[in-house]
């Protein structure tokens, strides 16, 4: 394995020349390069464009107590080489400024804004603005800096607001009738969308900061991580524990790795079935919605049988799992997945034979392969645009090294392609589950030795139903020094600006839903008609009905 990394390293060194100050192996998954900030743009240009690496995440860190600087870790992925490349650079503690890379790596846009908002790192040659924090948050207080206590409760500052005009009904973004707060602003000319603005983070929970609190330690954080998502929480729990285990070189028992993979695939099944049902509803096929959720209910019952809970399973720990699978449960798994295969085959054949569904999804919400590549989108969004990417195969983890599966890829880049990817993945998940159950090894389910050294970086990645989840942990004393979480929706939402532009307004709900965003649905949209300069609000249900 090291030979492969060394070969890639030599190639990178040849490309970058003497601008690399230091290289360091991070296990067999990553290679870290320390680069002076003055050469950052050159380094990421070569890695992203010449080496064709994907941008995976960025981690800004307050390292003033460690080395007197702020640091930023840019993590790229060479999928074909199964290798992460971490570019680390430092900036002054007194005036933290880094060169912006968004003209080279467009996917880095949100990350730079977040680093400015939460750590006060400025970026040259670009405008920064309030992104995650609310407008009322006081200026000059950066919550992810180590000298800001996690218990800090600021006094909100007054923000001048424009008085509302016209007749308006204020609903949200904080409102009990909304599943999750979010805000899209669509600019239209007649029935055509010409631009899109997104405003999110209305309930940013500060989970990364919370994990630094004294009441958390390495073994309590998996339960916190699982609460990041109400549908796919287990992927976060596994990503976090994997990042710590890789940093600490903890040898997780093989049986525990298989159990994690089984639960991950069960989670993928119920998530995809949920999404396919929602799409049927959006397209007016409510019988399909009800039948999909009828099938999904069997998966939820199975999850409860295996873990004790339909959701938020709570079985994962650093070093293994808390709950085993006995023979009775194995039989239940086999019976359930056979039922799902039979029922879903009949239903999916029916869904894809309904001409109204196929016509509404074909040619709408298009994301080209080139744009998908520039934005480094993940999951079914990437695979629906012709990018053959899947973390389970490209960066193997848990028990995925021991199973065979296909990665469905469609080149059309439209809503239908993303629907077909998920339908195919339901069958692939069933196939993976069959193999995992047949090969489930014996042995312990928890590692014997659990020691986590300080000052080590680890990367955990899981192919979630929506795409890659990636957690980065820099270890500290008893708990992470820095824990960075990147969910797939964070990587995919910027693509909506391209997918919605110049498309009919009636297709907007399906296109937004097609990325399977990590909020329950899009409840509120502001529409701006550029011809009449009229602004009005419409519920998602109104637009859905108009499009039927």
């Amino acid at each position: 394995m090291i030979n492969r990394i060394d070969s890639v390293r030599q190639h990178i060194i040849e490309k970058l020349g003497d601008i690399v100050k230091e290289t360091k192996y991070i296990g067999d998954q990553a290679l870290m390069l320390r680069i002076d900030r003055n050469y950052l743009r050159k380094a990421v240009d070569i890695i992203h464009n010449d080496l064709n690496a994907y941008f995976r995440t960025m981690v800004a860190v307050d390292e003033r107590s460690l080395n007197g600087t702020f640091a930023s870790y840019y993590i790229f992925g060479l999928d074909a080489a199964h290798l992460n490349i971490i570019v680390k650079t430092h900036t002054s503690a007194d005036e933290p400024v880094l060169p912006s890379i968004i003209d080279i790596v467009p996917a880095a846009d949100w990350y730079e804004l977040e680093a400015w908002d939460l750590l006060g790192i400025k970026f040259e040659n670009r405008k920064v603005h309030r992104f995650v924090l609310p407008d009322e948050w006081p200026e000059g207080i950066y919550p992810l800096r180590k000298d800001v206590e996690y218990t800090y409760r600021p006094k909100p500052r007054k923000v001048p607001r424009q008085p509302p005009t016209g007749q308006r009904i204020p609903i949200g973004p904080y409102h009990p009738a909304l599943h999750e707060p979010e805000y899209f602003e669509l600019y239209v000319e007649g029935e055509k969308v010409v631009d899109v603005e997104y405003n999110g983070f209305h309930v940013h929970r500060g989970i990364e900061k919370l994990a630094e609190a004294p009441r958390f330690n390495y073994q309590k954080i998996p339960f916190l991580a699982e609460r990041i998502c109400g549908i796919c929480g287990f992927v976060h729990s596994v990503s976090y524990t994997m990042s710590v285990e890789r940093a600490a070189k903890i040898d997780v028992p093989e049986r525990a790795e298989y159990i994690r993979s089984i639960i991950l695939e069960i989670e993928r099944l119920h998530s995809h079935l949920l999404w396919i049902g929602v799409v049927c509803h959006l397209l007016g096929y409510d019988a399909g919605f009800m039948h999909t959720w009828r099938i999904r209910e069997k998966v939820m019952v199975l999850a409860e049988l295996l873990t004790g809970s339909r959701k938020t399973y709570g079985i994962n720990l650093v070093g293994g799992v808390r709950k085993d699978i006995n023979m009775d449960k194995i039989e239940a798994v086999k019976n359930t997945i056979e039922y799902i295969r039979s029922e879903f085959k009949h239903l999916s054949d029916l869904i894809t034979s309904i001409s109204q569904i196929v016509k509404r999804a074909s040619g709408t919400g298009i994301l080209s392969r080139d744009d998908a590549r520039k934005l480094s989108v993940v999951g079914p969004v990437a695979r629906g645009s012709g990018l053959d990417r899947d973390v389970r195969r490209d960066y193997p983890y848990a028990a995925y090294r021991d199973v065979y599966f296909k990665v469905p890829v469609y080149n059309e880049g439209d809503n239908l392609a993303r629907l077909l990817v998920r339908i195919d993945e339901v069958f692939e998940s069933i196939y993976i589950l069959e193999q995992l159950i047949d090969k489930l090894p014996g042995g312990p389910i928890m590692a014997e030795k659990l020691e986590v050294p300080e000052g080590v970086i680890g990367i955990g990645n899981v192919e979630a139903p929506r795409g890659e989840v990636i957690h980065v942990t820099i270890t500290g004393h008893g708990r992470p020094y820095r824990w960075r979480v990147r969910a797939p929706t964070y990587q995919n939402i910027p693509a909506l600006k391209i997918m919605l532009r110049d498309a009919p307004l009636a297709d907007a709900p399906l296109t937004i839903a097609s990325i399977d965003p990590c909020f329950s649905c899009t409840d509120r949209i502001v529409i701006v008609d550029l011809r009449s300069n009229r602004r009005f609000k419409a519920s998602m249900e109104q637009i859905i009905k108009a499009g039927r």
Side-chain angles (χ1 to χ4, degrees):
M1 189 68 73
I2 294 298
N3 289 337
R4 171 179 58 79
I5 297 177
D6 201 46
S7 173
V8 175
R9 187 192 71 157
Q10 290 301 325
H11 181 63
I12 293 171
I13 295 298
E14 291 173 7
K15 282 280 188 180
L16 296 179
D18 56 4
I19 68 172
V20 179
K21 285 189 170 183
E22 180 185 357
T23 62
K24 185 178 181 182
Y25 295 121
I26 309 294
D28 60 358
Q29 309 93 30
L31 175 68
M32 186 155 67
L33 311 171
R34 190 162 65 85
I35 304 282
D36 187 280
R37 64 177 297 282
N38 295 320
Y39 298 105
L40 176 65
R41 287 175 55 82
K42 180 179 179 181
V44 301
D45 189 16
I46 291 172
I47 293 169
H48 183 64
N49 295 324
D50 291 358
L51 298 179
N52 208 29
Y54 289 98
F55 180 73
R56 304 183 75 192
T57 189
M58 169 186 157
V59 190
V61 187
D62 178 358
E63 295 190 352
R64 288 176 295 172
S65 63
L66 303 177
N67 52 42
T69 70
F70 287 93
S72 192
Y73 300 72
Y74 301 80
I75 300 178
F76 295 85
L78 281 172
D79 289 358
H82 319 301
L83 183 69
N84 291 298
I85 303 173
I86 306 172
V87 177
K88 180 182 181 182
T89 193
H90 297 269
T91 182
S92 162
D94 298 329
E95 191 176 356
V97 181
L98 288 172
S100 173
I101 63 167
I102 61 171
D103 56 326
I104 303 169
V105 185
D109 183 25
W110 281 19
Y111 297 86
E112 291 186 356
L113 292 174
E114 189 175 343
W116 157 248
D117 226 8
L118 301 182
L119 283 133
I121 298 175
K122 294 180 180 178
F123 291 87
E124 297 168 336
N125 301 318
R126 71 160 296 172
K127 291 182 179 178
V128 291
H129 55 79
R130 187 57 58 86
F131 182 63
V132 174
L133 298 174
D135 292 338
E136 293 79 8
W137 186 270
E139 296 284 356
I141 302 295
Y142 305 105
L144 279 185
R145 289 190 176 187
K146 299 300 181 185
D147 51 6
V148 178
E149 293 292 331
Y150 81 99
T151 53
Y152 175 69
R153 297 291 183 271
K155 184 179 180 181
R157 67 185 178 119
K158 291 184 178 179
V159 179
R161 298 185 184 282
Q162 292 291 330
T165 58
Q167 186 176 4
R168 293 187 177 213
I169 301 174
I171 301 177
Y174 306 100
H175 191 280
L178 304 181
H179 303 298
E180 292 180 59
E182 89 290 336
Y183 184 93
F184 283 93
E185 199 165 89
L186 304 184
Y187 293 79
V188 302
E189 288 181 354
E191 291 295 317
K192 186 176 73 173
V193 177
V194 296
D195 205 357
V196 182
E197 292 294 335
Y198 173 72
N199 186 340
F201 308 102
H202 295 287
V203 286
H204 189 271
R205 292 168 287 177
I207 280 179
E208 294 173 356
K209 184 72 175 183
L210 184 60
E212 298 176 8
R215 61 184 160 130
F216 281 98
N217 57 38
Y218 284 114
Q219 290 294 34
K220 289 184 178 178
I221 293 175
F223 302 97
L224 177 65
E226 196 160 357
R227 282 155 176 80
I228 291 174
C229 179
I231 302 297
C232 308
F234 196 64
V235 301
H236 287 284
S237 172
V238 174
S239 295
Y240 161 74
T241 53
M242 192 188 309
S243 69
V244 176
E245 289 156 358
R246 285 175 170 172
K249 298 181 179 176
I250 293 172
D251 190 14
V252 179
E254 192 178 22
R255 186 174 179 86
E257 297 279 38
Y258 269 69
I259 292 172
R260 283 178 178 175
S261 300
I262 289 169
I263 303 301
L264 286 169
E265 290 309 310
I266 287 175
E267 194 167 73
R268 187 183 322 282
L269 278 178
H270 75 64
S271 178
H272 275 4
L273 290 171
L274 182 153
W275 181 87
I276 292 167
V278 168
V279 165
C280 288
H281 170 67
L282 288 174
L283 295 175
Y285 181 41
D286 279 341
F289 161 71
M290 289 183 278
H291 280 295
T292 308
W293 280 45
R294 171 181 59 79
I295 298 169
R296 178 178 182 265
E297 180 61 21
K298 296 289 186 183
V299 186
M300 306 306 289
V301 171
L302 180 61
E304 184 174 14
L305 176 71
L306 295 180
T307 68
S309 176
R310 291 164 63 91
K311 274 302 306 161
T312 317
Y313 311 125
I315 68 165
N316 201 38
L317 289 172
V318 174
V321 294
R322 302 167 63 213
K323 202 173 181 68
D324 207 343
I325 296 178
N326 59 31
M327 288 304 298
D328 291 343
K329 293 175 182 175
I330 287 175
E331 285 304 311
V333 174
K334 289 181 177 178
N335 293 335
T336 301
I337 60 178
E338 187 53 42
Y339 168 84
I340 296 168
R341 189 208 306 274
S342 173
E343 292 290 306
F344 187 69
K345 177 70 171 63
H346 176 72
L347 179 61
S348 60
D349 286 347
L350 186 61
I351 292 172
T352 53
S353 68
I354 298 174
S355 60
Q356 291 90 336
I357 289 179
V358 174
K359 287 180 179 177
R360 282 295 308 279
S362 297
T364 57
I366 293 176
L367 180 68
S368 71
R369 191 180 191 283
D370 286 345
D371 287 329
R373 155 81 183 116
K374 288 176 185 173
L375 294 173
S376 293
V377 295
V378 294
V381 178
R383 295 189 282 276
S385 291
L387 297 182
D388 188 5
R389 309 188 65 198
D390 191 312
V391 175
R392 293 172 295 177
R393 179 199 61 197
D394 301 333
Y395 303 86
Y397 56 92
Y400 291 106
R401 294 180 180 85
D402 300 337
V403 296
Y404 173 79
F405 59 96
K406 296 178 183 175
V407 177
V409 177
Y410 289 81
N411 296 316
E412 291 77 5
D414 58 8
N415 290 324
L416 182 63
R418 292 183 281 277
L419 169 63
L420 295 176
V421 166
R422 290 185 176 93
I423 288 175
D424 289 354
E425 287 184 357
V426 168
F427 294 110
E428 291 301 319
S429 281
I430 292 171
Y431 184 39
I432 291 171
L433 277 170
E434 288 176 333
Q435 296 176 71
L436 292 171
I437 289 296
D438 288 342
K439 296 179 179 179
L440 182 64
I445 58 173
M446 273 297 295
E448 294 181 359
K449 188 177 179 182
L450 295 174
E451 294 180 3
V452 182
E454 294 184 44
V456 185
I457 187 171
I459 299 174
N461 46 262
V462 166
E463 185 67 32
R466 297 176 173 90
E468 178 199 41
V469 161
I470 182 166
H471 287 221
V472 181
T473 297
I474 299 174
T475 58
H477 182 65
R479 65 188 61 84
Y481 180 82
R482 176 78 165 94
W483 175 37
R484 168 63 168 164
V485 177
R486 200 272 285 147
T489 299
Y490 191 97
Q491 201 82 346
N492 286 337
I493 278 186
L496 283 174
K497 202 173 182 69
I498 297 170
M499 295 156 72
L500 289 169
R501 185 176 294 150
D502 296 329
L505 176 61
D507 292 332
L510 176 62
T511 298
I512 293 172
S514 75
I515 71 166
D516 196 4
C518 198
F519 38 76
S520 299
C521 60
T522 305
D523 301 278
R524 186 166 61 94
I525 292 177
V526 168
I527 302 169
V528 181
D529 190 331
L530 297 181
R531 290 177 181 170
S532 63
N533 199 29
R534 184 169 67 97
R535 298 167 66 95
F536 58 99
K537 295 181 179 179
S539 71
M540 185 63 82
E541 287 296 326
Q542 287 174 307
I543 298 177
I544 292 169
K545 289 178 180 177
R548 288 177 179 172

